[in-house]
mmCIF file of all heavy atoms in Angstrom:
data_model
loop_
_atom_site.group_PDB
_atom_site.id
_atom_site.type_symbol
_atom_site.label_atom_id
_atom_site.label_comp_id
_atom_site.label_asym_id
_atom_site.label_seq_id
_atom_site.Cartn_x
_atom_site.Cartn_y
_atom_site.Cartn_z
ATOM 1 N N SER D 878 0.680 2.115 -0.917
ATOM 2 C CA SER D 878 1.455 3.338 -1.042
ATOM 3 C C SER D 878 1.029 4.393 -0.030
ATOM 4 O O SER D 878 -0.201 4.368 0.379
ATOM 5 C CB SER D 878 1.373 3.966 -2.435
ATOM 6 O OG SER D 878 1.886 3.016 -3.347
ATOM 7 N N LEU D 888 -9.589 15.997 -9.978
ATOM 8 C CA LEU D 888 -10.751 16.116 -8.976
ATOM 9 C C LEU D 888 -10.437 15.730 -7.650
ATOM 10 O O LEU D 888 -11.325 15.691 -6.774
ATOM 11 C CB LEU D 888 -11.884 15.326 -9.603
ATOM 12 C CG LEU D 888 -12.416 15.641 -11.048
ATOM 13 C CD1 LEU D 888 -13.451 14.611 -11.566
ATOM 14 C CD2 LEU D 888 -12.907 17.155 -11.133
ATOM 15 N N PRO D 908 -11.744 8.000 -4.669
ATOM 16 C CA PRO D 908 -12.793 7.874 -3.706
ATOM 17 C C PRO D 908 -13.397 6.540 -3.775
ATOM 18 O O PRO D 908 -14.000 6.148 -4.856
ATOM 19 C CB PRO D 908 -13.603 8.957 -4.021
ATOM 20 C CG PRO D 908 -13.580 9.191 -5.488
ATOM 21 C CD PRO D 908 -12.015 8.867 -5.733
ATOM 22 N N VAL D 909 -13.463 5.697 -2.677
ATOM 23 C CA VAL D 909 -14.212 4.520 -2.685
ATOM 24 C C VAL D 909 -15.712 4.737 -2.457
ATOM 25 O O VAL D 909 -16.603 3.939 -2.752
ATOM 26 C CB VAL D 909 -13.464 3.503 -1.722
ATOM 27 C CG1 VAL D 909 -13.785 3.904 -0.274
ATOM 28 C CG2 VAL D 909 -14.009 2.123 -1.987
ATOM 29 N N HIS D 918 -25.358 3.552 -5.145
ATOM 30 C CA HIS D 918 -25.721 2.550 -6.139
ATOM 31 C C HIS D 918 -27.144 2.834 -6.647
ATOM 32 O O HIS D 918 -27.394 2.979 -7.857
ATOM 33 C CB HIS D 918 -25.655 1.136 -5.497
ATOM 34 C CG HIS D 918 -26.083 0.002 -6.361
ATOM 35 N ND1 HIS D 918 -25.150 -0.859 -7.005
ATOM 36 C CD2 HIS D 918 -27.208 -0.329 -6.814
ATOM 37 C CE1 HIS D 918 -25.690 -1.786 -7.627
ATOM 38 N NE2 HIS D 918 -27.010 -1.524 -7.639
ATOM 39 N N ASP D 929 -15.684 9.824 -11.172
ATOM 40 C CA ASP D 929 -14.404 10.343 -11.695
ATOM 41 C C ASP D 929 -13.704 9.068 -12.193
ATOM 42 O O ASP D 929 -13.315 8.174 -11.398
ATOM 43 C CB ASP D 929 -13.619 10.909 -10.506
ATOM 44 C CG ASP D 929 -12.251 11.398 -10.975
ATOM 45 O OD1 ASP D 929 -11.891 11.408 -12.131
ATOM 46 O OD2 ASP D 929 -11.459 11.728 -10.048
ATOM 47 N N SER D 951 -5.602 -6.205 -31.858
ATOM 48 C CA SER D 951 -6.953 -6.291 -31.330
ATOM 49 C C SER D 951 -7.704 -7.454 -31.694
ATOM 50 O O SER D 951 -7.652 -7.916 -32.873
ATOM 51 C CB SER D 951 -7.731 -5.039 -31.877
ATOM 52 O OG SER D 951 -9.119 -5.158 -31.528
ATOM 53 N N ARG D 996 -6.104 19.898 -36.376
ATOM 54 C CA ARG D 996 -6.965 18.620 -36.623
ATOM 55 C C ARG D 996 -6.117 17.376 -36.336
ATOM 56 O O ARG D 996 -5.079 17.232 -36.654
ATOM 57 C CB ARG D 996 -7.364 18.573 -38.028
ATOM 58 C CG ARG D 996 -8.389 17.568 -38.499
ATOM 59 C CD ARG D 996 -8.821 17.574 -39.808
ATOM 60 N NE ARG D 996 -9.911 16.711 -40.328
ATOM 61 C CZ ARG D 996 -11.024 16.809 -39.874
ATOM 62 N NH1 ARG D 996 -11.478 17.893 -39.321
ATOM 63 N NH2 ARG D 996 -11.885 15.866 -40.245
ATOM 64 N N ILE D 1020 5.524 -1.399 -32.525
ATOM 65 C CA ILE D 1020 5.494 -0.520 -33.568
ATOM 66 C C ILE D 1020 6.465 -0.679 -34.596
ATOM 67 O O ILE D 1020 6.362 -0.584 -35.800
ATOM 68 C CB ILE D 1020 5.518 1.030 -32.921
ATOM 69 C CG1 ILE D 1020 4.260 1.235 -32.181
ATOM 70 C CG2 ILE D 1020 5.781 2.078 -34.025
ATOM 71 C CD1 ILE D 1020 4.133 2.676 -31.509
ATOM 72 N N ASN D 1022 9.101 -0.336 -37.315
ATOM 73 C CA ASN D 1022 9.338 0.658 -38.435
ATOM 74 C C ASN D 1022 7.957 1.270 -38.909
ATOM 75 O O ASN D 1022 7.979 2.085 -39.801
ATOM 76 C CB ASN D 1022 10.020 0.092 -39.456
ATOM 77 C CG ASN D 1022 11.432 -0.363 -39.161
ATOM 78 O OD1 ASN D 1022 12.106 0.358 -38.423
ATOM 79 N ND2 ASN D 1022 11.863 -1.403 -39.725
ATOM 80 N N PRO D 1042 -30.603 6.555 -15.607
ATOM 81 C CA PRO D 1042 -31.698 6.791 -16.486
ATOM 82 C C PRO D 1042 -31.975 8.301 -16.772
ATOM 83 O O PRO D 1042 -32.713 8.521 -17.738
ATOM 84 C CB PRO D 1042 -32.931 6.073 -15.741
ATOM 85 C CG PRO D 1042 -32.499 5.999 -14.359
ATOM 86 C CD PRO D 1042 -31.049 5.771 -14.404
ATOM 87 N N LYS D 1043 -31.402 9.145 -15.936
ATOM 88 C CA LYS D 1043 -31.634 10.557 -16.216
ATOM 89 C C LYS D 1043 -30.477 11.214 -16.659
ATOM 90 O O LYS D 1043 -30.284 12.376 -16.815
ATOM 91 C CB LYS D 1043 -32.035 11.258 -14.901
ATOM 92 C CG LYS D 1043 -33.421 10.702 -14.385
ATOM 93 C CD LYS D 1043 -33.838 11.494 -13.109
ATOM 94 C CE LYS D 1043 -35.312 11.030 -12.684
ATOM 95 N NZ LYS D 1043 -35.686 11.765 -11.356
ATOM 96 N N LEU D 1048 -27.496 15.736 -19.458
ATOM 97 C CA LEU D 1048 -26.379 16.354 -20.173
ATOM 98 C C LEU D 1048 -27.011 16.954 -21.490
ATOM 99 O O LEU D 1048 -26.310 17.858 -21.959
ATOM 100 C CB LEU D 1048 -25.567 15.051 -20.725
ATOM 101 C CG LEU D 1048 -24.590 14.495 -19.642
ATOM 102 C CD1 LEU D 1048 -24.052 13.333 -20.066
ATOM 103 C CD2 LEU D 1048 -23.519 15.605 -19.225
ATOM 104 N N LEU D 1095 -9.929 22.038 -16.997
ATOM 105 C CA LEU D 1095 -11.340 22.342 -17.051
ATOM 106 C C LEU D 1095 -12.174 21.383 -16.259
ATOM 107 O O LEU D 1095 -13.395 21.585 -16.107
ATOM 108 C CB LEU D 1095 -11.849 22.351 -18.488
ATOM 109 C CG LEU D 1095 -11.242 23.293 -19.455
ATOM 110 C CD1 LEU D 1095 -11.736 23.078 -20.945
ATOM 111 C CD2 LEU D 1095 -11.445 24.766 -19.077
ATOM 112 N N GLY D 1098 -14.209 22.460 -12.797
ATOM 113 C CA GLY D 1098 -15.318 23.283 -13.056
ATOM 114 C C GLY D 1098 -16.526 22.630 -13.559
ATOM 115 O O GLY D 1098 -17.593 22.692 -13.224
ATOM 116 N N LEU D 1125 -20.958 -5.367 -11.477
ATOM 117 C CA LEU D 1125 -21.069 -6.811 -11.286
ATOM 118 C C LEU D 1125 -22.676 -7.248 -11.569
ATOM 119 O O LEU D 1125 -22.826 -8.306 -12.109
ATOM 120 C CB LEU D 1125 -20.784 -7.089 -9.682
ATOM 121 C CG LEU D 1125 -20.165 -8.539 -9.411
ATOM 122 C CD1 LEU D 1125 -19.458 -8.535 -8.029
ATOM 123 C CD2 LEU D 1125 -21.237 -9.508 -9.556
ATOM 124 N N TYR D 1132 -10.938 -6.400 -14.899
ATOM 125 C CA TYR D 1132 -9.496 -6.965 -15.079
ATOM 126 C C TYR D 1132 -8.978 -7.106 -13.758
ATOM 127 O O TYR D 1132 -9.101 -6.312 -12.843
ATOM 128 C CB TYR D 1132 -8.748 -5.928 -15.931
ATOM 129 C CG TYR D 1132 -7.458 -6.705 -16.459
ATOM 130 C CD1 TYR D 1132 -7.528 -7.200 -17.667
ATOM 131 C CD2 TYR D 1132 -6.370 -6.957 -15.622
ATOM 132 C CE1 TYR D 1132 -6.407 -8.005 -18.167
ATOM 133 C CE2 TYR D 1132 -5.250 -7.641 -16.026
ATOM 134 C CZ TYR D 1132 -5.311 -8.151 -17.322
ATOM 135 O OH TYR D 1132 -4.310 -8.929 -17.716
ATOM 136 N N GLY D 1133 -8.306 -8.219 -13.543
ATOM 137 C CA GLY D 1133 -7.597 -8.714 -12.335
ATOM 138 C C GLY D 1133 -8.535 -9.595 -11.588
ATOM 139 O O GLY D 1133 -8.092 -10.268 -10.558
ATOM 140 N N ASN D 1141 -8.534 -16.637 -21.181
ATOM 141 C CA ASN D 1141 -8.808 -16.247 -22.580
ATOM 142 C C ASN D 1141 -10.280 -15.751 -22.706
ATOM 143 O O ASN D 1141 -11.052 -16.140 -21.942
ATOM 144 C CB ASN D 1141 -8.510 -17.229 -23.544
ATOM 145 C CG ASN D 1141 -9.472 -18.509 -23.487
ATOM 146 O OD1 ASN D 1141 -10.469 -18.338 -23.777
ATOM 147 N ND2 ASN D 1141 -8.891 -19.562 -23.079
ATOM 148 N N ALA D 1167 -8.926 -22.250 -28.451
ATOM 149 C CA ALA D 1167 -9.780 -22.166 -27.345
ATOM 150 C C ALA D 1167 -11.124 -22.358 -27.657
ATOM 151 O O ALA D 1167 -12.068 -22.836 -26.751
ATOM 152 C CB ALA D 1167 -9.559 -20.738 -26.679
ATOM 153 N N VAL D 1177 -19.274 -17.999 -15.015
ATOM 154 C CA VAL D 1177 -20.818 -18.057 -14.772
ATOM 155 C C VAL D 1177 -21.130 -17.086 -13.780
ATOM 156 O O VAL D 1177 -20.341 -16.505 -13.061
ATOM 157 C CB VAL D 1177 -21.093 -19.458 -14.330
ATOM 158 C CG1 VAL D 1177 -20.735 -20.567 -15.358
ATOM 159 C CG2 VAL D 1177 -20.397 -19.829 -12.952
ATOM 160 N N PRO D 1192 -13.674 -21.075 -2.825
ATOM 161 C CA PRO D 1192 -14.007 -22.348 -3.614
ATOM 162 C C PRO D 1192 -15.452 -22.538 -3.958
ATOM 163 O O PRO D 1192 -16.229 -22.105 -3.154
ATOM 164 C CB PRO D 1192 -13.428 -23.520 -2.853
ATOM 165 C CG PRO D 1192 -12.560 -22.929 -1.915
ATOM 166 C CD PRO D 1192 -13.139 -21.498 -1.485
ATOM 167 N N VAL D 1203 -14.714 -18.404 -6.966
ATOM 168 C CA VAL D 1203 -15.351 -17.051 -7.117
ATOM 169 C C VAL D 1203 -14.233 -16.016 -7.503
ATOM 170 O O VAL D 1203 -13.183 -16.083 -7.041
ATOM 171 C CB VAL D 1203 -15.944 -16.739 -5.748
ATOM 172 C CG1 VAL D 1203 -16.438 -15.255 -5.802
ATOM 173 C CG2 VAL D 1203 -17.250 -17.491 -5.377
ATOM 174 N N LEU D 1212 -31.026 -6.353 -6.639
ATOM 175 C CA LEU D 1212 -31.602 -7.753 -6.394
ATOM 176 C C LEU D 1212 -32.027 -8.084 -4.861
ATOM 177 O O LEU D 1212 -32.683 -8.985 -4.638
ATOM 178 C CB LEU D 1212 -30.967 -8.792 -7.043
ATOM 179 C CG LEU D 1212 -30.937 -8.994 -8.517
ATOM 180 C CD1 LEU D 1212 -30.411 -7.682 -9.396
ATOM 181 C CD2 LEU D 1212 -30.378 -10.161 -9.034
ATOM 182 N N ARG D 1237 -14.994 -19.961 3.934
ATOM 183 C CA ARG D 1237 -14.084 -20.343 5.081
ATOM 184 C C ARG D 1237 -14.800 -21.343 6.039
ATOM 185 O O ARG D 1237 -14.697 -21.117 7.266
ATOM 186 C CB ARG D 1237 -13.778 -18.922 5.861
ATOM 187 C CG ARG D 1237 -12.894 -17.958 4.990
ATOM 188 C CD ARG D 1237 -12.702 -16.634 5.736
ATOM 189 N NE ARG D 1237 -11.954 -15.788 4.841
ATOM 190 C CZ ARG D 1237 -11.611 -14.503 5.240
ATOM 191 N NH1 ARG D 1237 -12.088 -13.962 6.403
ATOM 192 N NH2 ARG D 1237 -10.937 -13.676 4.376
#
Side-chain angles (χ1 to χ4, degrees):
S878 302
L888 302 172
V909 67
H918 182 106
D929 178 11
S951 169
R996 186 177 185 80
I1020 290 177
N1022 295 323
K1043 297 182 180 179
L1048 282 170
L1095 303 174
L1125 213 165
Y1132 199 90
N1141 69 65
V1177 300
V1203 170
L1212 279 66
R1237 297 177 179 174

